[in-house]
């Protein structure tokens, strides 16, 4: 017997689903068939000996529809080399997106990765790589833990190669510029050798320029190979613009050299070898600086990846054996000595120590660990040897999940990037058209071919699709990486963008604003007993109880080191309390209702009881031999950071609400204590999402902060779901942002980081768009037409290189982000 699911294509109404169901049910071997129109799915239970997948598909096809096997799509990040601008990224997206079986593809120019969602039954990864290769780029090996160092070395090699090419081109282009510009700058009196004077030895002068430009062109050969290939594939990129512009300058200069060689010496003034050489040199400089800056944007993820140790000491047959971390299995007992890193996640079985978990939580204070406590891979064992049992290894560890979250976030695109993406897709062809039209217009206006050539080259070279392509992803990379440093994991560009619009934050009470664990807060006694004795007797009575309030009293006594007495008789009274006999004394412990039922007078402590209740505390009454002995108040105490975090959010202009299942009186007492604006009390867990929805219907942008488990529906409903975890809940699907520490101060930090990142993105986009909008018309000669200067192609190349570097430098300013105090 086998059960399979199929996606049914072509259904438009309930009759369609019935038709499919009817047709498939007729098959010999079909036991149960269900077709769901809403989900467009068919689930079939069948005897695989009588029918197979192909027969089921054929039957659906004969009924007039198409059946696709339900296969879990894979998601993979493919590193790509060879991309030089946003147009390259668009070309890869287009090539891979066409493939059957590819659900979606997003290429991030800044991270140099393609995030591909694909159906492994329809297409193989090798076919995706082939499509990338056909588009003119190279798909690298998928990064895993073993290739982190390899990737780092590749990046370093790339930067070194670019610097070498730049130095080589600079060595030849500087003298080229010197001999080309020297004779023109009469006021400087440049010393030029007699045999290189253009007026006396024009052919020697032209050949010298040609010989100097050849090594520069060789150093920048990649612009030509990549640029012309992209042009041939009808997906031109930045390299295409540089290749066309410098080729035009070189070809015209070669023509002028030929004219000089046949005796027309006036063409010595029409040599533009130096233009091509200096443009290539400046752009190689820009690319070198860009590569260095891009490397710095992903430093956070590299730091995280480098945290995990390479080996572990495993106890096997009472022997200590050092093995590679990849060979550690779940259940292995691992020994960690002082100063060493914890290799994988696990649970302490022996020893006592303090562990630095700052890599996970951002919290610098070491955390004490004893048998039964959890430890996390890559945290540092400070001062004691421990043995622990491995519970999570490889990609299941907390660190691995953090790395995946940060990588996914860095590879994602924010909605704000959509406009830049659209523009980048059409940018290069439009620039080429503008360059040609500008040259033609100036020719028609009466200018000579040399003037038109200058305009043509300047327009091609000043245009910068790189700045547009880098504006958003670089800021997201730095922003999400910075968040990880503070224990704030933002799951993607969309969450990062939405967070800065939040104007209302809803906090769950228990475990979020409060500690989530009741504690004894007050002890009030009558004359018949002192506080310590009352707590001792109450704890002795509650020792066997599983009620949270009883457990709180026992913990309170244990903290004071009080001895637990033997209980002679125990009787639980459901919903009311307990009745016990200790040291021959009959005692009642319970709520007001129990006292009323047993006709115990509460007048003596009525005022104190009401005061405690108004403060959000739960009073527990205690009697001894039918006389009121006192009250022990228990409360889920507020976290130290709650008031400060809410005060900070108020300063940011954000309304703060609290949602809880507690009664309104208790809820309002807690709210008053921490400065909450709005209380949503007596709300059942299943109704929390509706309360969030009501706030959204008021036109508010709502963030929900909870523990990510009980609050999952509300977290999903909110515009931004913020889950508070302890480092093990980093993969909570319902949340958009995960706070590694149970500290509410990280909520304003997340909002501040979002605001800073979005502000940075807007600055980047403004300068990228502004630069191109202003630069292209200037290069086209608009200023010259108005009586101003004509932009030299060399200055256009310098401006183009600086635009990309300026965007990256601005994004790197986010590395200085610190939460406001």
């Amino acid at each position: 017997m086998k059960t399979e699911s199929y996606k049914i294509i072509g259904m438009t109404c309930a009759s369609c689903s019935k038709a499919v169901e009817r047709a498939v049910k007729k098959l010999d071997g079909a036991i149960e068939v269900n077709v769901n129109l809403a989900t467009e799915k068919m689930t079939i239970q069948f005897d695989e000996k009588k029918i197979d997948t192909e027969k089921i598909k054929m039957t659906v096809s004969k009924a007039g529809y198409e059946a696709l096997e339900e296969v879990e799509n894979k998601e993979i990040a493919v590193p790509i080399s060879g991309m030089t601008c946003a147009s390259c990224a668009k070309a890869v997206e287009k090539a891979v997106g066409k493939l059957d079986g590819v659900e979606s593809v997003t290429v991030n120019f800044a991270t140099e990765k393609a995030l591909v969602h694909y159906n492994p039954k329809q297409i193989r990864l090798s076919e995706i790589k082939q499509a990338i290769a056909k588009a003119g780029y190279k798909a690298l090996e998928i990064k895993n833990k073993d290739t982190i160092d390899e990737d780092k070395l590749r990046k370093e090699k790339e930067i070194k190669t670019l610097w070498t090419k730049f130095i080589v081109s600079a060595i030849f282009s500087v003298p080229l510029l010197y001999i080309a510009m020297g004779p023109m700058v009469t006021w400087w009196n440049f010393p030029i050798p007699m045999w290189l004077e253009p007026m006396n030895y024009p052919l020697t002068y032209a050949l010298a320029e040609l010989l100097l430009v050849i090594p520069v062109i060789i150093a920048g050969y990649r612009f030509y190979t990549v640029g012309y290939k992209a042009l041939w594939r009808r997906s031109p990129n930045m390299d295409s613009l540089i290749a066309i512009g410098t080729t035009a300058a070189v070809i015209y200069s070669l023509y002028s050299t030929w004219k000089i060689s046949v005796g027309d010496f006036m063409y010595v003034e029409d040599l533009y070898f130096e233009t091509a050489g200096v443009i290539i040199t400046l752009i190689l400089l820009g690319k070198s600086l860009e590569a260095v800056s891009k490397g710095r944007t992903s430093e956070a993820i590299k730091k995280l990846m480098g945290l995990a140790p390479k080996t572990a000491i495993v106890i096997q047959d009472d022997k200590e054996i050092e093995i590679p971390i990849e060979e550690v299995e779940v259940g292995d007992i691992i020994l960690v000595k002082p100063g060493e890193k914890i290799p994988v996640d696990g649970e302490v079985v022996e020893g006592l120590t303090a562990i630095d978990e700052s890599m996970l939580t951002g919290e610098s204070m070491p955390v004490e660990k004893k048998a039964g406590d959890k430890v996390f891979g890559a945290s540092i064992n400070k001062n004691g040897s421990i043995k622990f049992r491995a519970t999570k290894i490889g990609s299941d560890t907390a660190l691995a999940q953090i790395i995946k979250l940060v990588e996914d976030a860095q590879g994602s695109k924010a909605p704000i990037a959509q406009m830049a993406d659209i523009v980048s897709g059409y940018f290069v062809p439009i620039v080429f058209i503008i360059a040609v039209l500008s040259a033609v217009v100036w020719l028609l206006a009466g200018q000579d071919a040399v003037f038109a050539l200058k305009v043509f080259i300047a327009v091609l070279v000043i245009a910068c699709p790189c700045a547009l392509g880098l504006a958003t992803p670089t800021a997201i990379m730095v922003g999400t990486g910075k968040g990880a440093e503070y224990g704030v994991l933002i799951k993607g560009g969309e969450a990062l963008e939405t967070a800065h619009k939040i104007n209302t934050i809803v906090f769950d009470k228990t475990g979020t604003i409060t500690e989530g664990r009741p504690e004894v807060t007050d002890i009030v006694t009558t004359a018949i007993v002192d506080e310590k004795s009352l707590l001792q007797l109450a704890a002795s009575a509650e020792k066997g109880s599983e009620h949270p309030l009883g457990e709180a009293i026992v913990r309170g006594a244990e903290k004071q080191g009080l001895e637990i007495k033997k209980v002679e008789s125990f009787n639980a009274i459901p919903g009311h309390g307990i009745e016990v006999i200790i040291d021959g004394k009959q005692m009642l412990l319970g709520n007001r209702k129990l006292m009323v039922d047993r006709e115990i007078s509460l007048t003596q402590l009525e005022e104190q009881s009401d005061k405690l209740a108004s403060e959000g505390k739960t009073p527990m009454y205690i009697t001894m031999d039918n006389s009121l002995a006192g009250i022990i108040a228990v409360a889920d105490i507020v976290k130290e950071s709650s008031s400060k975090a809410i005060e900070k959010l108020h300063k940011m202009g954000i309304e703060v609400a609290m949602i809880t299942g507690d009664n309104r009186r208790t809820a309002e007492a807690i709210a008053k204590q921490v400065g909450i604006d709005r209380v949503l009390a007596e709300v059942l867990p299943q109704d929390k999402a509706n309360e969030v929805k009501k706030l959204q219907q008021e036109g508010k942008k709502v963030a929900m902060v909870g523990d990510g488990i009980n609050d999952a529906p509300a977290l999903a409903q909110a515009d931004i779901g913020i889950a508070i975890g302890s480092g093990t809940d980093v993969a909570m699907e319902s949340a958009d942002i995960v706070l590694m520490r149970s500290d509410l101060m990280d909520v304003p930090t997340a909002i501040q980081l979002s605001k800073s990142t979005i502000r940075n993105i807007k600055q980047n986009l403004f300068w990228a768009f502004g630069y191109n909008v202003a630069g292209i018309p200037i290069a086209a000669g608009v200023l010259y037409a108005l009586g101003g200067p004509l932009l030299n192609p060399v200055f256009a190349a310098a401006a183009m290189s600086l635009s990309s570097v300026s965007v990256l430098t601005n994004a790197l300013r986010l590395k200085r982000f610190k939460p406001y105090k």
Side-chain angles (χ1 to χ4, degrees), residues 385-446:
S385 291
I386 56 165
K387 288 179 183 176
F388 73 92
R389 181 180 291 104
T391 56
K392 289 181 180 177
I393 59 172
S395 61
D396 293 329
T397 65
L399 178 67
Q401 290 185 53
I402 290 170
I403 290 169
K404 187 176 187 309
L405 272 178
V406 177
E407 277 191 320
D408 288 350
Q410 290 187 343
S412 66
K413 287 185 180 177
I416 197 171
Q418 286 173 354
M419 183 169 60
D421 281 353
I422 292 164
V423 172
S424 297
Y426 298 101
F427 188 84
V428 175
I430 290 169
V431 168
F432 186 75
I433 291 165
I434 292 170
V436 172
L437 287 175
S438 302
V440 170
V441 167
W442 282 114
L443 285 171
L444 293 174

Side-chain angles (χ1 to χ4, degrees), residues 49 67 139 149 172 184 198 264 331 346 373 387 422 445 457 502 548 553 571 631 681 745 759 781 799:
K49 291 175 184 175
D149 293 336
F172 289 95
M184 299 180 197
D264 194 344
D373 289 341
K387 288 179 183 176
I422 292 164
I457 296 169
I502 295 300
I553 290 170
N571 177 37
I631 296 172
M745 287 301 291
R759 184 165 58 246

Side-chain angles (χ1 to χ4, degrees), residues 641-658:
S641 61
S642 294
S643 296
K644 197 175 174 186
I646 289 162
E647 184 187 344
K648 201 169 176 182
L649 290 168
H650 283 149
K651 283 179 182 173
M652 293 165 69
I654 295 171
E655 180 191 20
V656 183
M658 181 180 79

Side-chain angles (χ1 to χ4, degrees), residues 85-86 238 241 420 423-424 427-428 430-431 434 458-471 764-780 782 791 796 799-801 803-804 806-807:
C85 69
M238 186 206 75
L241 298 179
V423 172
S424 297
F427 188 84
V428 175
I430 290 169
V431 168
I434 292 170
V459 171
L460 291 180
V461 171
I462 202 167
C464 189
C466 303
L468 285 172
L470 290 168
N764 285 348
L765 287 172
F766 173 79
W767 288 113
F769 275 114
Y771 163 81
N772 283 296
V773 168
I776 292 170
I778 290 169
V782 170
L791 184 70
M800 182 269 200
S801 293
S803 67
S804 294
S806 65
V807 162

Side-chain angles (χ1 to χ4, degrees), residues 606-625:
E606 192 82 49
E607 192 178 327
Q608 291 97 320
S609 171
D610 290 344
K611 183 175 179 291
L612 291 168
S614 69
E615 291 170 357
K617 299 167 184 175
T618 303
M620 185 179 285
Y621 300 93
I622 301 155
T623 70
M624 294 172 66
D625 295 328

Side-chain angles (χ1 to χ4, degrees), residues 465-688:
C466 303
L468 285 172
L470 290 168
T472 306
T474 48
I476 287 174
M477 284 174 75
V478 180
T480 50
K482 198 69 192 172
E485 283 179 32
Y486 286 102
V488 176
L489 301 182
I490 300 165
K491 286 190 176 179
E494 192 169 349
L496 193 66
E497 182 173 339
T498 307
H500 90 286
K501 301 173 187 172
I502 295 300
N503 52 30
T504 301
I505 294 183
V506 181
F507 288 99
D508 177 49
K509 181 181 83 73
T510 309
T512 304
I513 290 175
T514 64
E515 292 287 357
R517 198 170 79 154
E519 299 287 344
V520 172
T521 58
D522 301 84
I523 300 173
V524 183
T525 63
T526 58
I528 64 174
V529 69
D530 61 60
E531 286 185 14
K532 196 167 275 191
S533 298
L534 185 70
L535 181 59
Q536 183 185 31
L537 289 167
S540 301
E542 293 283 3
K543 182 63 179 174
S545 170
E546 292 181 0
H547 194 281
L549 299 183
E551 288 175 350
I553 290 170
V554 173
R555 279 197 302 273
E558 286 173 348
K559 278 181 187 174
Q560 292 191 29
L562 300 176
E563 183 190 347
I564 301 296
K565 296 191 171 191
K566 188 178 178 183
V567 176
E568 295 161 28
S569 168
F570 181 94
N571 177 37
I573 307 163
H576 291 69
I578 58 173
E579 186 175 12
V580 297
I581 297 174
I582 300 174
D583 291 344
K585 296 187 184 78
Q586 187 178 17
M587 296 179 65
L588 288 173
L589 290 87
N591 55 24
R592 178 184 288 267
K593 200 168 182 185
L594 177 62
M595 301 299 123
V596 172
D597 286 353
R598 296 299 178 93
E599 297 179 350
I600 305 291
S601 173
L602 302 176
T603 311
Q604 193 177 353
L605 299 179
E606 192 82 49
E607 192 178 327
Q608 291 97 320
S609 171
D610 290 344
K611 183 175 179 291
L612 291 168
S614 69
E615 291 170 357
K617 299 167 184 175
T618 303
M620 185 179 285
Y621 300 93
I622 301 155
T623 70
M624 294 172 66
D625 295 328
N626 292 323
S627 296
L628 184 62
I631 296 172
I632 295 180
V634 175
D636 185 1
I637 58 173
V638 171
K639 288 179 183 174
E640 283 182 28
S641 61
S642 294
S643 296
K644 197 175 174 186
I646 289 162
E647 184 187 344
K648 201 169 176 182
L649 290 168
H650 283 149
K651 283 179 182 173
M652 293 165 69
I654 295 171
E655 180 191 20
V656 183
M658 181 180 79
I659 195 164
T660 178
D662 284 356
N663 66 69
R664 181 158 291 277
R665 189 175 178 183
T666 304
E668 284 179 350
I670 296 286
K672 190 178 178 183
Q673 200 176 331
V674 294
I676 296 284
D677 303 311
R678 194 164 175 172
V679 178
L680 307 169
E682 297 170 18
V683 180
L684 296 171
Q686 61 268 31
D687 294 332
K688 286 182 180 179

